[in-house]
Amino acid sequence: QVQLVESGGGLVQPGGSLRVSCAASGSIFSINAMGWYRQAPGKQRELVATITSGGSTNYADSVKGRFTISRDNAKNTVYLQMNSLKPEDTAVYYCNANIRTYHYMRGNDYWGQGTQVTVSS
């Protein structure tokens, strides 16, 4: 039905930058809110940033001023630009989207498979 696929993860040095992407595909009518979450080893999954269909954004305190979430509605894609990366940003990053399909207009939550981001010297 609907799939979310992340890309762009990898290994970067502290202070470096990285942009991860998440593209949705399938029988999509429209996409409501989208967001990025991350989970480090031994820790609970936490919210990183969200963006509404209207473009309003929200960020975790730990990433404010460093990360920027954006979306391209024509491509059904959400992005996370990560600057001034720190070792503590190391985690698997997951995208999330509430998506309305042609057969279920109310919307359901979907998750990507995750992409590894490692910040290390």
Side-chain angles (χ1 to χ4, degrees), residues 32-52:
N32 298 315
M34 307 182 80
W36 286 95
Y37 296 73
R38 67 186 183 187
Q39 187 167 24
K43 292 189 176 182
Q44 192 172 345
R45 185 174 299 187
E46 64 175 349
L47 184 146
V48 177
T50 60
I51 184 167
T52 68

Side-chain angles (χ1 to χ4, degrees), residues 60-94:
D61 289 339
S62 59
V63 306
K64 284 182 179 178
R66 300 189 297 120
F67 290 11
T68 302
I69 188 171
S70 61
R71 62 192 288 169
D72 186 336
N73 292 330
K75 297 181 178 179
N76 290 330
T77 300
V78 62
Y79 306 92
L80 185 68
Q81 177 67 47
M82 300 178 285
N83 299 325
S84 302
L85 282 162
K86 305 174 181 179
E88 49 263 45
D89 294 318
T90 296
V92 177
Y93 284 71
Y94 299 90

Side-chain angles (χ1 to χ4, degrees), residues 7-18:
S7 62
L11 175 65
V12 296
Q13 295 183 347
S17 297
L18 198 67

